[in-house]
Amino acid sequence: MRICLVTSELAPFRGWGVGTSTGELAKALRDAGHEIHLLVDDLPGVRERGGSVFPGVRIHILERSDFAGALSQYPCECTRRPLTVHRRLAELHARHRFDCIEFNDFFGDAYFALEARRASGAYAGAVTVVHLHSPIFLLRHVNRQPEFDLDIAVITHMETSVLRSADLLISPSRAMIDKLSELEGLGEVMRGTGPGPRVEVIPYAYDRASLTGDEAESTAPGRPEVLFFGRLETRKGPEVLVDAAQRLFEQGLDFGVRIVGEDTDCGPGRRSMREHLRRRIDPRWRDRFEFMENQPRESVVRLIRRATACCFPALWDNYPNACLEAMLLGAPVIASAAGGMSEMIEHGRSGLLVPAGDAGGLGAAIRAVVSDAEIRARIGACAAVRARTLCEPAGVADRHIEALRAARPRESVRVPESGDTVSVVVPVYNLGETLPLTLASIRGQTRPPEEIIVVDDGSTDERTRGVLQRIDIAGTRVIRQTNRGLPAARNRGIRESRGRWVLPLDADDLLAPAFVERCLEAAARVPEAALVTSHMACFRESPEHPEIAFIPFGFPGDILPAVNIASSAIAMLRRESVVGVGGYDETMTAYEDWELYCRMASAGLVAVVIPEPLILNRIRPDSMLRSMSHDEDLHLRARVLERHLGLSRRPDRTARIVLARAGARPANADAREVARAMVQENLRYRLADRAHAAIKALGVKAVVKKALLRAEGSDGAA
């Protein structure tokens, strides 16, 4: 088989857990006789040494200089990498025709690739696989992090979407499948009781020979030592170890604790976890603890060999490579029974398992191992045998290929619908300068619309009047009305239209030549769709030189009441659906498209987004959006939130998005400044008093308060 593995990490260049797992899998599949490709980030050293570290594997570097990497991504930057992955991967698949494309789960790497398959039939013939390591939304849940700004919301949406739309999910543990079935409405997907991917449990491949280190430097310390290594996160349980160790010190047991790993902000108040652990230690016992920064693998191998026992007291973990590595090296391991370690370790034989979060139980296990050399020797020897049995590369590769062959790619058949006619509606108010180019982009479509309707919303500019008179004669239908505003002009055009689909297009924007054709193709592939749109590139002087990209997501209900993430104002809409929900609200002086999309989502309608920039938006400093006052902007946002908060499955999350964005720039800010603000926007909350003041200024304090009250009883975990 020809298999492409997509990864942001790759050991030994960067990354331990996922980077190690991906690299070991690539070697195992290569050794099983398959053609393996790696699409990997431009990591330090991978260009120079990738070929020698992975002989026989074709390595492709993920460049960031293309469209997706060059433009700022509005409304959030977390779309940049998965979009770049899709664009590069599409090129590679066109050349190599992969039988299988495999992604890791976190940050939604597969999102735009799978959206392109849904909308356009991309990656035909390839089975798409997502490896379940630990998605970000799950880590945040276990780490008890309640923050939920737009970036986190979008990451959660992308990660959960790919779990629903891949062909195959592979997890190293049953525990991961069970845990995900409790979160984000994924129960049917994970249990296989509804539509969704095939799910398989296959442990990681791991070659014991890759664990190298100087054994001569691995002499045991004079005092027994318990080793913890891994990221200093709440979920990894370092607090439990610190508490358990101090109880044992109080009881007179003499040993040391070495804690090795990258610090995080999982401490109280989003502060340093390492400093939090140090403060937790009684001054009497500080010399018993040693903290070290993250170490190279060779150094950790030496530390494992020196340790009396390795301890993994996680509150929950999937299938940690750290534990697997310690077992492979024959170290006595003590671990929590929460998560995949209970599948790795046979309690009392290849390690000791204790209840998660139980400092007393952990202390008893540490005492047993530290005090009894016979126990250490026995469980260490069994651990090495057990780990080799679980992760033997050839066996894992065979199971992996068997799962790939059993899975089937989701192929959508394009069946054009009869009566798929398109009406383009162009409202105009004093935009005669740009209108001809807009109309030219419509007439230049590879699949022209059946009709073009221009609605003159009471233009007073003589140049615009002259342009309208000429195009009326040229065959485009012009409807004139007194000035009633953009929503009323769009509604008028829709009422007068005859097409099954209507396409509102502002008089200063442009369409890529294939926009209508691609939208109709997507509608045929997703017959239930009521809205079809695409990504948008925004420009000032020339569409060949865009400055910012707008990346819509359709109708994610937790986000949509807080931010218009559905589409720009330009989208192909099923006419009967728009009419059925009442059309545009003519009392909205702006954001009428956003408010309409909320009503469409509330009605259970479906949106499809083509992940290509087929809409070209002209940035004008005098546009309606940028000339809007700050107070008007806040008023309209509050109206949308008040009307449509019920769209959210988790109103508390929607409220948290509003809180996090309360300090954002007003809508009439310069587009480049808006993009810069989005890039710089902190992923964490502003201070509580600042957020409170901003929400009060929004005029939606009561709505947010009501949402939080409705969420009372939730643990607030993202």
Side-chain angles (χ1 to χ4, degrees), residues 307-322:
T308 308
C310 292
C311 188
F312 306 99
L315 302 185
W316 190 91
D317 212 338
N318 176 14
Y319 205 83
N321 273 278

Side-chain angles (χ1 to χ4, degrees), residues 260-295:
V260 180
E262 179 183 353
D263 195 11
T264 71
D265 59 358
C266 286
R270 301 310 303 272
R271 297 175 183 175
S272 162
M273 174 59 88
R274 183 179 290 123
E275 292 308 310
H276 167 62
L277 295 174
R278 284 179 169 144
R279 288 193 298 270
R280 205 177 182 95
I281 299 170
D282 187 296
R284 294 175 297 163
W285 314 123
R286 284 178 182 165
D287 65 336
R288 304 281 187 97
F289 290 88
E290 181 175 353
F291 290 87
M292 299 176 66
E293 295 286 349
N294 203 21
Q295 299 293 304

Side-chain angles (χ1 to χ4, degrees), residues 377-677:
R378 175 169 50 81
I379 65 174
C382 290
V385 174
R386 171 70 172 169
R388 286 196 296 270
T389 302
L390 288 172
C391 63
E392 191 270 320
V396 171
D398 288 345
R399 292 177 62 183
H400 196 92
I401 295 300
E402 183 181 348
L404 296 183
R405 287 175 174 155
R408 292 288 181 269
R410 298 189 196 183
E411 303 287 1
S412 56
V413 180
R414 182 184 177 187
V415 181
E417 297 185 28
S418 60
D420 258 348
T421 53
V422 179
S423 300
V424 181
V425 175
V426 185
V428 178
Y429 179 73
N430 292 343
L431 282 174
E433 181 179 358
T434 59
L435 180 60
L437 284 176
T438 297
L439 294 176
S441 79
I442 300 171
R443 292 170 179 147
Q445 291 292 297
T446 55
R447 195 288 194 185
E450 276 65 28
E451 64 176 349
I452 304 172
I453 300 172
V454 176
V455 181
D456 176 17
D457 191 36
S459 295
T460 57
D461 173 62
E462 289 300 324
R463 179 176 183 176
T464 300
R465 288 182 174 183
V467 170
L468 290 169
Q469 186 173 1
R470 289 193 295 274
I471 65 170
D472 200 1
I473 296 171
T476 296
R477 187 152 58 114
V478 177
I479 299 171
R480 292 178 171 83
Q481 65 179 30
T482 58
N483 183 254
R484 295 176 53 202
L486 183 57
R490 287 195 184 126
N491 282 340
R492 177 74 183 278
I494 291 171
R495 286 196 301 271
E496 298 280 346
S497 67
R498 297 183 293 269
R500 182 174 188 176
W501 294 90
V502 291
L503 170 56
L505 178 63
D506 291 345
D508 55 349
D509 292 336
L510 307 172
L511 299 176
F515 180 81
V516 171
E517 180 181 7
R518 298 293 301 282
C519 285
L520 288 175
E521 177 187 354
R525 292 181 181 278
V526 188
E528 65 272 26
L531 178 151
V532 185
T533 189
S534 78
H535 293 182
M536 182 169 73
C538 305
F539 67 94
R540 293 175 187 273
E541 303 299 330
S542 167
E544 284 77 30
H545 302 288
E547 299 179 20
I548 184 173
F550 173 51
I551 312 297
F553 284 87
F555 296 155
D558 290 347
I559 309 174
L560 191 54
V563 184
N564 179 16
I565 204 163
S567 173
S568 69
I570 303 168
M572 201 173 75
L573 308 170
R574 197 178 292 273
R575 185 181 184 278
E576 65 179 8
S577 298
V578 176
V579 173
V581 299
Y584 294 94
D585 182 346
E586 298 183 10
T587 69
M588 297 285 291
T589 54
Y591 302 146
E592 72 288 336
D593 51 332
W594 176 17
E595 198 278 332
L596 171 66
Y597 301 151
C598 287
R599 277 184 280 126
M600 294 178 72
S602 296
L605 300 176
V606 174
V608 179
V609 180
I610 302 168
E612 297 177 43
L614 302 177
I615 301 169
L616 308 173
N617 168 253
R618 188 188 305 272
I619 302 171
R620 292 188 299 109
D622 61 341
S623 69
M624 182 176 66
L625 183 63
R626 288 174 178 80
S627 60
M628 184 193 311
S629 72
H630 186 55
D631 286 346
E632 183 182 9
D633 172 57
L634 296 179
H635 168 74
L636 292 171
R637 290 179 183 275
R639 286 184 66 184
V640 173
L641 183 63
E642 182 178 37
R643 289 180 180 182
H644 300 293
L645 188 60
L647 176 61
S648 177
R649 182 176 55 89
R650 290 281 303 271
D652 62 302
R653 286 184 169 179
T654 307
R656 282 180 273 167
I657 295 170
V658 174
L659 283 170
R661 290 178 59 81
R665 285 179 172 268
N668 58 355
D670 180 275
R672 286 175 292 192
E673 291 301 314
V674 171
R676 189 174 296 113

Side-chain angles (χ1 to χ4, degrees), residues 21-287:
S21 302
T22 305
E24 294 291 323
L25 177 62
K27 291 187 288 186
L29 293 173
R30 174 205 61 195
D31 292 345
H34 301 280
E35 181 182 320
I36 306 303
H37 296 245
L38 276 169
L39 176 57
V40 62
D41 284 23
D42 193 2
L43 307 175
V46 73
R47 290 179 185 270
E48 297 79 13
R49 298 190 293 117
S52 60
V53 174
F54 295 95
V57 174
R58 301 188 62 174
I59 296 179
H60 309 278
I61 305 299
L62 184 63
E63 305 285 356
R64 295 177 180 264
S65 58
D66 63 1
F67 174 90
L71 292 184
S72 291
Q73 311 285 290
Y74 182 85
C76 54
E77 286 288 300
C78 62
T79 56
R80 181 186 296 273
R81 187 176 186 283
L83 187 53
T84 308
V85 165
H86 160 52
R87 295 183 183 282
R88 183 78 171 103
L89 191 57
E91 297 171 1
L92 292 174
H93 184 64
R95 293 206 305 268
H96 301 288
R97 305 303 295 180
F98 300 121
D99 300 304
C100 171
I101 302 170
E102 306 196 23
F103 305 86
N104 296 319
D105 53 1
F106 52 90
F107 292 110
D109 265 6
Y111 182 80
F112 292 112
L114 294 179
E115 287 296 288
R117 182 175 70 168
R118 178 184 182 223
S120 307
Y123 307 104
V127 172
T128 57
V129 182
V130 174
H131 286 275
L132 303 179
H133 298 288
S134 286
I136 300 304
F137 73 84
L138 172 59
L139 299 185
R140 295 184 59 79
H141 173 79
V142 182
N143 279 325
R144 302 165 183 166
Q145 295 171 302
E147 298 88 348
F148 203 78
D149 66 5
L150 182 58
D151 290 85
I152 296 166
V154 168
I155 289 168
T156 301
H157 172 69
M158 291 193 296
E159 289 181 337
T160 54
S161 294
V162 302
L163 298 185
R164 293 183 172 94
S165 54
D167 300 316
L168 175 65
L169 305 180
I170 295 180
S171 172
S173 71
R174 183 73 226 175
M176 169 62 87
I177 296 169
D178 293 340
K179 191 69 172 179
L180 289 178
S181 69
E182 303 169 2
L183 303 174
E184 304 297 331
L186 291 169
E188 287 190 353
V189 173
M190 292 298 136
R191 290 190 293 266
T193 56
R198 186 183 182 91
V199 181
E200 297 282 355
V201 176
I202 305 174
Y204 294 142
Y206 213 127
D207 184 358
R208 165 66 176 77
S210 65
L211 291 172
T212 58
D214 188 348
E215 297 192 31
E217 297 183 23
S218 301
T219 57
R223 183 167 62 184
E225 179 179 280
V226 173
L227 173 66
F228 169 100
F229 61 102
R231 284 173 58 85
L232 302 187
E233 299 177 77
T234 301
R235 70 185 179 98
K236 294 287 188 180
E239 295 164 292
V240 184
L241 174 58
V242 167
D243 292 349
Q246 292 186 95
R247 292 186 188 184
L248 292 174
F249 298 155
E250 292 280 1
Q251 297 165 14
L253 189 64
D254 184 22
F255 67 98
V257 178
R258 188 186 299 270
I259 297 176
V260 180
E262 179 183 353
D263 195 11
T264 71
D265 59 358
C266 286
R270 301 310 303 272
R271 297 175 183 175
S272 162
M273 174 59 88
R274 183 179 290 123
E275 292 308 310
H276 167 62
L277 295 174
R278 284 179 169 144
R279 288 193 298 270
R280 205 177 182 95
I281 299 170
D282 187 296
R284 294 175 297 163
W285 314 123
R286 284 178 182 165
D287 65 336

Side-chain angles (χ1 to χ4, degrees), residues 349-371:
R349 179 174 173 80
S350 51
L352 298 182
L353 294 170
V354 299
D358 181 359
L362 179 61
I366 292 174
R367 176 180 288 278
V369 173
V370 168
S371 304

